[in-house]
């Protein structure tokens, strides 16, 4: 027997995806959302086919032997005194020694490698110091420990729609303007997404749902809107079974909103919301609208959720075709699956490798694939911060909103050209073209050769330009408001381009800018930085970072070329890259970077995989990346090929079943 309650529309919407009785309707959306994360449905029970290296058993045996005979003794001799039971700098090697293949251990191994490579660990005052060869050996040994990891696709992330994805979804499904989601706060992303909902967001999602319903559903005395007729269908006859009609509408609405067919239990809950409206004297359309709003604030809408049930004994399963369609569409378009993807999911054909890869090509060829830059490319390059970055207006009056937009557009068009032309990833570092308009051409020093605000493709004659190292957007985002930062630029090249891990600076060492009170008058930036790195705790990292950063010092804080600094002193851009090769200009630095094609490709592949999965890579993920790199090397590490391989990979198409 149902308990009658006074209608509370917002609470009714919070009720949308629970099977609790109506007396819990007043539960807050925030609390409800949190409680519902555990109510996921199962996946397909098809047994996964895991392609692993043919000699995996041998590699695993070698990793065990290497750990026992080499890694363990090295750590105990040089590291464990500082990184044992009371670990320093967040590196717990006692735990890592106990479980070398555990997920939690990989972060400690990676941190250790980074510190050993730059001679930060062990410290110079340690009783025993490894030789340079022993350091290189340690790095190689740690690289084998990935084979000790458990073979699975890693933790599955129940991913919430980002602000952009949410807005695009409302627009694609219901025709509302994407700006309806502008009230949502901007997100700080890690590997690509946040996966929680704050109380503030809960209230905002409910407010937006109210606005969507108000825009689409006509008032009592008004004729239904075209969108309303499309979503709700024709009203049932007076003698019709209204609950049965509501269930059919719920099935149709939920198929689009959930990006998969709803379960019968979900339909029961939605019809219960319809019943609640009827019990409180709402007419049929008003009750349907209440039910629809419940969908719009449900976890099934706000998160990408699975559809099929799974055998309780199964630990790893493929994604069902509906979730694979959603994962692919939101990755490449930041939008829900279109009709073609949805139809393939309905026919259970999307998981077929040739079908999946054909859809990747189709989605990449569409204009909507520009979302891949907005979501991934801008974050990778760091240019997503350019719009809000501060520059001294007296020193750089050129940094107008128009120029900032042109800088970002150049990076976007260049990124898209690499994908659409399926160029090798090394072209990100060294290319002979870019895109610009008149304001950007002036920044490049090309005078009035280009006029107007329209961006166009330009062949570059200056070897110092071309690619992301000489691009104003990346040069500006790695600068301070009033000057360049060789350290920031060095870190950016090593981490974002080459995939090196740079240890964080010691907590008690001030920034160079904070040392201006010392006797630095008359010193160049290079000389001041060299003085800064005379600090013992700074020297090891700076001798790696600084030469690369100073190799880009001919570009000022907003990316203009200069031969002399502000004091009139000639720029010295000479240096060495890790490995000892020398350069004397940005052009030579670019050529040396471009030689590291495999490092660039692996870094980009790892970052894109992490973005696609919504989590950091760890353990067995590295084994899968190794396999992808072998395939990519056969096609010269081409960008679109990389995207196809990532989206066809075991990690992207499978999931671990959590107990």
């Amino acid at each position: 027997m149902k308990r009658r309650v006074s209608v509370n529309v917002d609470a009714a919407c919070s009720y949308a995806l629970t099977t609790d009785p109506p007396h819990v309707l007043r539960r807050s959306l925030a609390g409800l959302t949190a409680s519902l994360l555990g109510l996921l449905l199962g996946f397909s029970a098809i047994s996964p086919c895991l392609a692993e290296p043919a000699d995996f058993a041998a590699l695993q045996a070698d990793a065990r032997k290497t750990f026992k005979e080499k890694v363990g003794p090295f750590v105990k001799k040089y590291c464990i005194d500082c990184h044992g039971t009371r670990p320093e700098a967040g590196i717990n090697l006692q735990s890592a020694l106990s479980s070398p293949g555990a997920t939690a251990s990989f972060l400690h191994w990676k941190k250790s490698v980074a510190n050993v490579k730059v001679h930060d660990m062990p410290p110079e005052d340690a009783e025993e110091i490894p030789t340079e060869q022993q350091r290189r050996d340690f790095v190689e040994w740690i690289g084998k420990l990935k084979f000790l990891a458990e073979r699975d696709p890693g933790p599955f992330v129940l991913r919430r729609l980002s602000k952009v994805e949410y807005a695009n979804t409302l627009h694609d499904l219901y025709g509302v303007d994407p700006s309806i989601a502008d009230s949502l706060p901007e997100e700080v992303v890690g590997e690509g997404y946040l996966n929680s909902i704050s109380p503030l967001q809960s209230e905002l999602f409910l407010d937006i749902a109210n606005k969507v319903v108000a825009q689409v559903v006509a008032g009592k005395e008004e004729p239904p809107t075209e969108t309303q007729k499309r979503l709700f269908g024709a009203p049932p006859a007076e003698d019709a079974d209204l609950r049965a009609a509501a269930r059919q509408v719920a099935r149709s609405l939920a198929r689009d909103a959930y990006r998969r067919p709803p379960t019968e239990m979900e339909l029961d809950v939605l019809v219960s919301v319809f019943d609640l409206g009827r019990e409180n004297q709402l007419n049929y359309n008003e009750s349907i609208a209440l039910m629809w709003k419940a969908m719009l604030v449900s976890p099934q809408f706000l998160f990408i959720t699975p559809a099929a049930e799974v055998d309780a004994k199964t630990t790893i399963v493929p994604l069902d075709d509906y979730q694979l369609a959603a994962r692919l569409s939101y990755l490449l378009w930041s939008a829900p699956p279109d009709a073609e993807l949805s139809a393939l999911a309905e026919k259970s054909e999307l998981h077929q490798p040739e079908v999946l890869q054909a859809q990747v090509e189709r989605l990449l060829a569409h204009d909507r694939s520009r979302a891949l830059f907005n979501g991934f490319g801008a974050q990778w390059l760091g240019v997503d911060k350019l719009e809000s970055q501060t520059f001294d207006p007296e020193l750089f009056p050129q940094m107008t909103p128009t120029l900032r937009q042109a800088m970002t557009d150049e990076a976007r068009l260049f990124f898209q050209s690499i994908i659409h032309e399926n160029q090798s990833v090394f072209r990100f570092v060294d290319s002979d073209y870019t895109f610009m308009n008149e304001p950007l051409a002036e920044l490049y020093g090309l005078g009035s050769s280009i006029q107007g605000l329209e961006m166009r493709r330009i062949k570059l004659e200056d070897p110092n330009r071309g690619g992301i190292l000489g691009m104003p957007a990346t040069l500006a985002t790695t600068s301070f408001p009033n000057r360049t930062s060789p350290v920031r630029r060095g870190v950016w090249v090593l981490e974002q381009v080459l995939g090196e891990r740079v240890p964080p600076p010691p907590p008690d060492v001030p920034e160079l800018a904070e040392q201006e009170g010392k006797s630095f008058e008359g010193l160049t930036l290079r000389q001041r930085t060299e003085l800064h790195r005379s600090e013992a705790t700074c020297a090891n990292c700076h001798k790696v970072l600084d030469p690369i950063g100073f190799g880009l010092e001919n570009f000022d804080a907003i990316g203009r070329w200069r031969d002399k600094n502000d004091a009139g002193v000639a720029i010295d851009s000479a240096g060495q890259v890790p490995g000892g090769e020398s350069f004397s200009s940005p052009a030579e630095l670019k050529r040396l970077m471009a030689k590291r094609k495999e490092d660039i490709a692996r870094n980009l592949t790892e970052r894109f995989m992490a973005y696609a999965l919504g989590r950091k890579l760890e353990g067995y993920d590295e084994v899968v990346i190794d396999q992808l790199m072998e395939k990519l090397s056969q096609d010269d590490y081409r960008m679109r090929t990389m995207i196809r391989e990532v989206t066809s990979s075991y990690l992207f198409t499978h999931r671990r079943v959590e107990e």
Side-chain angles (χ1 to χ4, degrees):
M1 180 176 180
K2 290 184 180 180
R3 176 183 175 186
R4 187 177 182 83
V5 298
S6 60
V7 68
N8 180 323
V9 174
D10 291 351
C13 292
S14 298
Y15 170 68
L17 288 191
T18 89
T19 53
D20 292 336
H23 67 268
V24 301
L25 288 182
R26 298 184 187 277
R27 182 186 305 174
S28 72
L29 178 61
L32 178 64
T33 301
S35 69
L36 289 174
L37 296 185
L39 300 180
L40 304 183
L41 306 178
F43 284 81
S44 167
I46 302 173
S47 299
C49 178
L50 170 57
E52 61 184 25
D55 56 348
F56 184 79
L59 292 170
Q60 198 168 54
D62 179 57
R64 292 194 188 98
K65 182 179 180 181
T66 297
F67 173 75
K68 181 179 179 180
E69 298 179 0
K70 297 178 179 178
V71 174
F74 183 97
V75 170
K76 291 174 182 177
K77 183 176 182 178
Y78 297 112
C79 313
I80 204 67
D81 286 347
C82 294
H83 301 281
T85 54
R86 293 184 177 180
E88 294 185 12
I91 302 176
N92 187 339
L93 295 183
Q94 185 67 55
S95 172
L97 285 176
S98 301
S99 306
T103 296
S105 299
F106 278 89
L107 179 59
H108 297 297
W109 292 131
K110 286 183 176 181
K111 288 181 177 179
S112 300
V113 165
N115 283 277
V116 168
K117 286 174 72 174
V118 299
H119 291 237
D120 263 7
M121 193 174 78
E124 293 182 357
D125 59 355
E127 292 184 5
E128 294 190 84
I129 301 292
T131 66
E132 186 61 36
Q133 183 59 51
Q134 287 174 319
R135 291 178 186 275
R136 287 195 292 266
D137 289 343
F138 178 74
V139 173
E140 181 183 345
W141 299 335
I142 295 300
K144 296 181 179 183
L145 298 188
K146 60 194 170 191
F147 296 111
L148 299 180
E150 204 173 313
R151 293 175 293 172
D152 69 48
F156 180 77
V157 176
L158 178 67
R159 188 170 75 67
R160 174 174 58 80
L161 300 183
S162 70
K163 177 178 178 178
V164 171
E165 292 170 336
Y166 173 75
N168 288 344
T169 300
L170 292 176
H171 174 266
D172 287 8
L173 296 184
Y174 312 122
V176 298
D177 193 296
S179 64
I180 200 170
D182 285 352
S183 59
L184 291 174
E186 296 299 326
E187 296 166 315
V188 180
V189 292
E191 286 333 291
Y193 303 100
L194 291 175
N195 303 296
S196 60
I197 293 181
S198 68
L200 171 62
Q201 288 170 316
S202 299
E203 296 299 325
L204 291 174
F205 282 132
L206 186 55
D207 181 59
I208 294 169
N210 283 328
K211 292 177 181 177
V212 172
V213 172
Q215 286 187 24
V216 171
V217 180
K220 284 186 177 181
E221 306 302 326
E222 300 174 353
T225 67
E226 290 302 313
T227 301
Q228 180 180 346
K229 288 190 285 186
R230 174 174 62 83
L231 296 176
F232 296 176
E238 291 185 6
D239 59 346
D241 184 340
L242 297 186
R243 293 188 83 249
R247 193 178 188 88
Q248 285 302 108
V249 174
R251 189 183 303 276
S252 174
L253 287 173
R255 170 62 184 87
D256 289 338
Y258 300 168
R259 299 165 287 274
R260 57 171 176 77
T263 66
E264 293 303 314
M265 181 179 293
E266 288 170 334
L267 291 176
D268 290 341
V269 173
L270 292 171
V271 173
S272 296
V273 177
F274 171 84
D275 290 341
L276 185 67
R278 296 292 294 159
E279 291 172 8
N280 286 272
Q281 287 75 52
L282 298 183
N283 64 29
Y284 174 82
N285 275 337
E286 291 170 332
S287 298
I288 290 291
L290 180 66
M291 182 178 70
W292 178 38
K293 184 164 59 163
M295 295 181 200
L296 297 182
V297 295
S298 67
Q300 278 89 331
F301 179 72
L302 299 175
F303 291 77
I304 301 176
T305 58
E309 295 183 356
V310 62
D311 190 313
K313 298 179 180 179
T314 306
T315 57
I316 298 171
V317 295
L319 296 185
D320 61 74
D321 278 28
Y322 296 106
Q323 190 167 40
L324 186 56
R327 173 174 266 190
L328 185 64
S329 184
Y330 281 111
L331 173 65
L332 301 182
W333 282 6
S334 293
D338 65 356
E340 185 169 334
L341 265 181
S342 296
L344 290 169
E346 294 280 2
K347 294 186 289 187
S348 298
E349 294 180 358
L350 187 59
H351 67 278
Q352 299 173 16
E354 66 278 6
V355 175
L356 179 59
Q357 293 201 2
Q359 287 302 303
V360 171
E361 289 291 344
R362 181 179 71 85
L363 267 60
L364 287 176
H366 197 282
D367 287 344
R368 297 195 73 170
S369 66
R370 65 181 295 168
L372 192 55
F373 172 79
N374 297 333
F376 170 71
Q379 178 186 327
W380 165 50
L381 296 175
V383 300
D384 54 335
K385 308 178 186 72
L386 183 59
E387 182 180 358
S388 60
Q389 188 166 344
T390 301
F391 290 92
D392 188 326
E394 293 186 6
L395 296 176
F396 306 108
Q398 303 87 351
M399 285 300 287
T400 62
T402 300
L403 181 59
R404 290 175 191 253
Q405 186 61 55
M407 286 180 171
T408 302
D409 287 345
E410 177 190 19
R412 174 180 57 80
L413 292 168
F414 182 69
F415 180 88
Q416 289 177 288
S417 72
I418 299 289
I419 294 177
H420 292 160
E421 297 166 23
N422 201 18
Q423 299 183 52
S424 177
V425 297
F426 89 93
R427 298 288 283 175
F428 276 115
V429 172
D430 194 10
S431 70
D432 60 356
Y433 72 94
T434 192
F435 298 81
M436 66 179 69
N437 59 7
E438 183 177 349
L440 202 53
E442 292 177 0
L443 192 72
Y444 269 85
L446 298 180
S448 58
S449 59
I450 299 173
Q451 297 188 354
L453 295 180
E454 181 184 355
M455 299 293 290
R456 67 211 75 175
R457 184 166 178 154
I458 301 295
K459 183 173 177 60
L460 295 169
E461 304 296 336
D462 183 356
N464 293 298
R465 295 288 191 178
I468 57 179
L469 270 64
M471 188 172 286
T474 55
L475 293 164
T477 53
T478 51
S479 295
F480 287 120
N482 61 342
R483 65 167 176 84
T484 60
S485 173
V487 174
R488 286 187 177 184
R489 288 178 176 177
V491 170
W492 180 83
V493 171
L494 287 172
E495 291 191 334
Q496 303 302 114
V497 180
L498 297 179
E500 298 280 358
R501 186 184 183 93
V502 178
D508 54 349
V509 176
E511 289 269 1
L512 182 62
E514 297 173 17
Q515 298 179 331
E516 299 293 343
K518 296 184 178 181
S519 181
F520 284 166
E521 187 175 351
L523 298 182
T524 65
L525 183 57
R526 179 185 281 267
Q527 290 169 332
R528 284 187 287 153
T529 305
E530 288 173 351
L531 185 61
H532 174 75
R533 83 184 199 195
S534 65
E535 300 270 358
T537 53
C538 303
N540 291 328
C541 280
H542 276 280
K543 67 185 180 184
V544 176
L545 301 174
D546 295 351
I548 295 176
F550 280 111
L552 300 173
E553 190 63 6
N554 281 112
F555 301 110
D556 74 2
I558 62 173
R560 292 177 299 188
W561 180 265
R562 59 183 181 170
D563 295 308
K564 297 180 180 181
N565 64 16
D566 296 337
V569 179
I571 298 292
D572 178 7
S573 59
Q576 287 184 330
V577 296
E581 293 181 284
S582 300
F583 59 87
S584 60
S585 68
E588 292 180 6
L589 173 60
K590 281 170 46 184
R591 284 195 290 271
L592 292 178
M593 292 290 104
K595 286 182 180 179
R596 297 183 60 172
K597 187 183 297 187
E598 183 175 353
D599 292 330
I600 296 170
R602 187 180 187 96
N603 172 55
L604 196 54
T605 302
E606 289 179 342
R607 288 179 179 276
F608 184 65
M609 180 69 83
Y611 175 79
L613 301 178
R615 63 172 177 81
K616 294 181 179 180
L617 301 188
E618 54 199 20
Y620 192 75
D621 299 341
E622 294 191 17
V623 178
V624 176
I625 295 294
D626 287 346
Q627 295 173 272
L628 296 191
M629 295 309 296
E630 288 184 19
K631 294 181 180 179
L632 294 176
S633 67
Q634 298 169 13
D635 194 31
D636 197 31
Y637 304 107
R638 296 184 183 277
M639 184 66 177
R640 200 162 67 237
T641 305
M642 182 271 285
I643 295 173
R644 285 201 310 268
E645 291 298 333
V646 165
T647 52
S648 301
S649 71
Y650 171 71
L651 301 180
F652 189 82
T653 60
H654 289 72
R655 67 158 299 213
R656 178 198 302 163
V657 179
E658 305 291 349
E659 296 182 1

